[in-house]
């Protein structure tokens, strides 16, 4: 083996070990043992000469797709049911609001957009040139016709007037002659000139211009009372422009869900380098703009120390539509989320999800019109919880249309969890998705370079196997990238 080949093999082995370490970082002891046993062909609990054991590693939570469906139903009008056949609960209807155009971007129309006028509301010139009446040549008026002016004196047969694009054509105008298609003679009379394409009249011959040429007739785009857009349409910049053209100053839309973020933990720093067992808070800066990109209005970001009473006060005093907590969803000595939800009588809709990273995430109904999403404290695990539970809930609360699911082939094989779905950061390269390293639950390096998350089924994927992708707001480039 040559030295370059040896180095290449060594680099590949190092990369494999790094990826394996990142994957193992997201497995508990039982699951790691299951992976080892499956790789070696052994069955857990089986010894030579004995029948196979039926014991399997203990699993918690609901399947990932079920968790997303539960979160979506929780945000809809009507019924949401937990994953274990629990009781049904109802949510009051979201009341539409009247929103000024400059505040409506990213909202969803609550009523059809009906034309309040004809568009255009009068016959207008589609080009700079001359408004003409009858066949040429034409005598040109001294005064021209500009946009924004009231009706002008009717043209007489054989008369023309200079006109600007968008200006109201004078009565009795039969056509508009474009500037590049007209010429004037020594006496100031206007003639239709030969165009470069040879489509206009040839010099020395009588010119005719097609009736209605380069005139936008009244009502060409729509008539008053026509439906322009249906309820449920996402308000994009183009929708704002259409609404303004149609005469709207405000729109009837569903309001942004109000979200309060509670960052839990005594070990979190807000500035400076980590030291003495303290670490920087990554979720406080990351979650608010991400939630805004998902259509929410973030009303507050509060830091809550590891104290059960303080957490209870923070949750019960919140009037947000959704409370998002970070950390404290497991069963450690300072994990107070579950006991606090029990204390306030919340209904757990999702208590753990079969997904890695982020399996301890949860969704609860805390009040009739309020939900809580509990995110794990590890940064990438929190992102997983955000996209699994918060995104479908916020989308339905805001009446946003669901994104169209799509798949792409993954360039490389991806290790799978034996039972759970995995969400892996990927970069999009043409028609293929490149799985990224540094995808452990405590890591953000991978997703910071990612365009999407790949949904990897239990057992993993082969090279070039298709996988569902979840777009990240800044990569999808849609209306969701409104971070402010």
């Amino acid at each position: 083996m040559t030295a370059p080949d040896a180095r290449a093999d060594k680099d590949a082995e190092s990369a494999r070990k790094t990826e394996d370490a990142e994957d193992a970082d997201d497995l508990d002891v039982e699951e790691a043992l299951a992976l080892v046993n499956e790789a070696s062909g052994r069955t857990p609990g089986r010894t030579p000469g004995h029948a196979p054991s039926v014991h399997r590693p203990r699993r918690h939570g609901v399947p990932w797709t079920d968790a997303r469906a539960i979160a979506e139903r929780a945000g809809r009008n009507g019924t949401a049911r937990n994953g274990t056949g629990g009781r049904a609960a109802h949510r009051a209807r979201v009341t539409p609001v009247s929103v000024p155009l400059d505040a409506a971007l990213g909202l969803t129309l609550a009523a059809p957009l009906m034309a309040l006028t004809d568009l255009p509301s009068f016959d207008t010139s589609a080009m700079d040139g001359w408004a003409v009446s009858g066949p040429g040549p034409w005598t040109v008026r001294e005064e021209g016709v500009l946009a924004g002016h009231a009706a002008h004196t009717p043209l007489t047969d054989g008369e023309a007037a200079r006109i600007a694009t968008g200006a109201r054509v004078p009565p009795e105008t039969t056509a508009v002659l474009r500037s590049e298609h007209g010429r004037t003679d020594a006496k100031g009379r206007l003639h239709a000139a030969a165009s470069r394409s040879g489509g206009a009249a040839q010099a020395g011959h009588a010119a005719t211009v097609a009736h209605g040429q380069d005139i936008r007739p009244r009502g060409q785009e729509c008539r008053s009372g026509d439906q322009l857009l249906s309820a449920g349409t996402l308000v994009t910049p183009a929708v704002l422009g259409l609404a303004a053209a149609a005469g709207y100053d405000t729109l009837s839309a569903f309001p942004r869900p109000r979200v309060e973020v509670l960052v839990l933990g005594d070990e979190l720093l807000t500035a400076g380098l980590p030291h003495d067992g303290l670490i920087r808070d990554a979720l406080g800066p990351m979650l608010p703009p991400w939630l805004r990109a998902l259509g929410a209005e973030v009303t507050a970001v509060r830091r809550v120390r590891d104290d059960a009473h303080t957490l209870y006060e923070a949750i019960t005093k919140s009037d947000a539509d959704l409370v998002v907590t970070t950390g404290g969803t497991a069963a450690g000595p300072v994990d107070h989320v579950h006991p606090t939800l029990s204390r306030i009588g919340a209904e757990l809709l999702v208590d753990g999800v079969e997904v890695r990273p982020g399996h301890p995430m949860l969704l609860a109904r805390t009040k009739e019109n309020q939900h809580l999403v509990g995110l794990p404290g590890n940064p990438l695990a929190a992102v997983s919880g955000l996209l699994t539970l918060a995104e479908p809930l916020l989308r339905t609360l805001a009446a946003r249309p669901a994104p169209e699911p799509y798949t792409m082939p993954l360039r490389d094989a991806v290790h799978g969890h034996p039972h759970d779905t995995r969400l892996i950061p990927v970069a999009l390269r043409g028609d293929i998705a490149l799985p990224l390293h540094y995808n452990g639950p405590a890591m953000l390096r991978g997703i910071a370079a990612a365009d999407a998350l790949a949904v990897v089924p239990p057992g993993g994927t082969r090279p070039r196997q298709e996988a569902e992708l979840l777009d990240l707001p800044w990569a999808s480039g849609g209306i969701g990238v409104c971070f402010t």
Side-chain angles (χ1 to χ4, degrees):
M1 180 180 293
T2 64
D5 290 340
R7 282 197 300 271
D9 287 347
K10 185 176 180 180
D11 290 343
E13 177 67 13
S14 176
R16 185 189 64 77
K17 288 180 178 179
T18 298
E19 184 173 344
D20 288 347
E22 293 162 5
D23 292 339
D25 189 31
D26 195 31
L27 304 175
D28 60 29
V29 174
E30 288 185 319
E31 291 157 346
L33 286 173
L35 279 175
V36 171
N37 289 327
E38 288 178 4
S40 62
R42 295 194 301 269
T43 304
R46 182 176 184 181
T47 56
H50 290 77
S53 170
V54 295
H55 172 74
R56 295 180 61 87
R58 187 180 180 187
R59 298 167 62 188
H60 297 279
V62 298
W64 180 75
T65 52
D66 291 353
R68 284 175 57 82
I70 292 166
E72 184 175 305
R73 288 199 301 270
R76 288 179 184 164
N77 302 323
T79 302
R81 187 178 298 274
N82 66 25
T84 57
R87 67 180 179 86
H90 297 272
R91 185 186 183 282
R93 178 177 294 275
V94 177
T95 303
V97 293
S98 180
V99 185
L101 292 187
D102 60 3
L105 184 67
L107 301 185
T108 301
L109 294 180
L113 189 73
M114 311 299 292
L116 302 179
T117 182
D118 296 343
L119 284 183
S121 54
F122 44 79
D123 294 348
T124 63
S125 176
M127 293 287 172
D128 291 335
W130 295 268
V132 300
S133 180
W138 302 273
T139 302
V140 181
R141 283 183 182 175
E142 290 187 6
E143 72 276 7
V145 181
L146 300 177
H149 290 257
H152 289 258
T153 305
L155 294 176
T156 59
D157 191 41
E159 191 177 26
R162 266 286 184 182
I163 194 166
T165 301
R168 183 172 187 169
V169 299
E172 306 306 325
T173 296
T174 55
V176 169
L177 180 65
R178 300 185 187 191
S179 295
E180 62 269 27
H181 293 169
R183 63 178 180 82
T184 53
D185 60 22
K187 296 181 180 180
R189 291 172 63 81
L190 175 66
H191 299 261
S195 69
R196 292 183 181 180
S197 63
Q202 299 297 317
H205 293 76
T208 58
V209 179
H211 192 279
Q213 177 179 301
D214 287 326
I215 294 176
R216 290 191 63 208
R218 176 174 182 166
Q220 182 186 50
E221 187 169 1
C222 66
R223 289 292 185 181
S224 180
D226 286 352
Q227 179 173 309
L228 305 177
L229 296 170
S230 62
T233 299
L234 185 67
V235 178
T236 64
V239 170
L240 293 176
L242 176 61
Y248 284 85
D249 300 315
T250 62
L251 292 174
S252 176
F254 294 105
R256 291 178 176 86
R258 295 171 301 112
V259 178
E260 185 170 342
V261 179
L262 303 180
V263 181
L264 315 183
D266 293 339
E267 76 281 12
L268 301 178
L269 294 169
T270 59
L273 294 173
H275 63 86
D276 302 326
L278 302 177
I279 61 174
R280 280 296 298 269
D281 168 31
L283 297 181
M286 180 175 69
L287 289 179
W290 203 320
L291 288 163
R292 293 187 193 104
L294 295 178
E297 175 191 351
V298 179
T299 59
V301 179
R302 307 187 192 280
R303 302 186 181 277
V304 179
R305 60 191 180 90
D306 287 324
D307 175 77
H309 179 72
T310 304
L311 179 60
Y312 173 83
E313 290 289 313
I315 294 175
T316 54
K317 290 182 178 180
S318 175
D319 63 354
D321 300 305
L322 173 63
V323 177
V324 174
T325 62
T326 68
T329 56
V334 292
D335 291 334
H336 300 300
V337 174
H338 277 95
T340 301
L341 292 176
S342 179
R343 179 182 175 188
I344 65 178
E347 179 188 6
L348 276 175
L349 303 175
V350 174
D351 189 8
V353 179
E354 294 174 358
V355 67
R356 303 295 167 133
H359 62 99
M361 67 181 74
L362 62 84
L363 169 64
R365 179 177 289 104
T366 51
K367 300 175 185 176
E368 182 181 0
N369 294 322
Q370 184 186 75
H371 292 84
L372 181 144
V373 169
L375 303 178
N378 278 328
L380 189 57
V383 169
S384 174
L386 190 70
L387 296 181
T388 300
L389 297 178
E391 185 277 330
L393 174 63
L394 289 171
R395 172 165 35 85
T396 50
L397 285 174
R400 280 189 168 197
E404 288 293 328
Y406 75 103
T407 65
M408 286 184 70
L410 303 181
R411 191 192 72 176
D412 307 319
V414 177
H415 296 309
H417 187 276
H419 313 295
D420 296 351
T421 300
R422 291 192 69 195
L423 301 181
I424 301 294
V426 295
L428 305 185
R429 298 290 182 266
D431 59 354
I432 202 163
L434 173 64
L436 299 174
H437 296 300
Y438 306 104
N439 53 35
M443 300 179 180
L444 287 175
R445 184 173 171 182
I447 198 166
D451 301 304
L453 287 177
V455 181
V456 178
T461 57
R462 305 178 305 277
R464 303 283 171 166
Q465 182 175 335
E466 295 273 339
E468 180 184 352
L469 296 188
L470 302 177
D471 276 331
L472 302 178
W474 52 89
S476 60
I479 195 66
V481 76
C482 303
F483 290 109
T484 57

